[in-house]
Amino acid sequence: VPNTSGLSRTITVADAPVNLYIRIVEGRKIELISKDLYTINDRQFYISVSDQFKPVIRQINGSWELLIPVKSNVPVTYSIIW
């Protein structure tokens, strides 16, 4: 996304339990628009996260969530772009 601003976050969990996921974002609508880029709420902002983390989009209670599985001591980095 050219000419944008944003920030990057890295999360590392020590001793993560099996099947732990972190919720990166919740919104009215989440869409994958390219290999590593998601649009949130009809392009209100974007999330960039490598597909190596195998992100999951799910709908729950009328909202959408972007989740990433977490493994012990493996850093997860993503960017919020606006």
Side-chain angles (χ1 to χ4, degrees), residues 63-74:
S63 292
W64 291 88
E65 299 177 329
L66 182 61
L67 307 171
I68 297 177
V70 177
K71 296 179 183 173
S72 290
N73 301 310
V74 177

Side-chain angles (χ1 to χ4, degrees), residues 7-66:
L7 59 95
S8 291
R9 294 187 71 193
T10 299
I11 299 171
T12 304
V13 179
D15 301 321
V18 176
N19 295 323
L20 177 66
Y21 285 76
I22 54 172
R23 181 174 62 188
I24 300 300
V25 67
E26 178 182 6
R28 294 184 317 275
K29 187 175 184 181
I30 299 174
E31 294 180 283
L32 177 65
I33 58 173
S34 68
K35 182 179 176 187
D36 297 334
L37 189 64
Y38 296 81
T39 180
I40 313 302
N41 298 338
D42 292 318
R43 302 183 189 270
Q44 182 179 17
F45 63 97
Y46 302 86
I47 299 289
S48 175
V49 61
S50 173
D51 66 350
Q52 78 177 15
F53 295 116
K54 301 184 183 341
V56 175
I57 299 173
R58 76 172 180 181
Q59 187 176 23
I60 187 166
N61 298 327
S63 292
W64 291 88
E65 299 177 329
L66 182 61

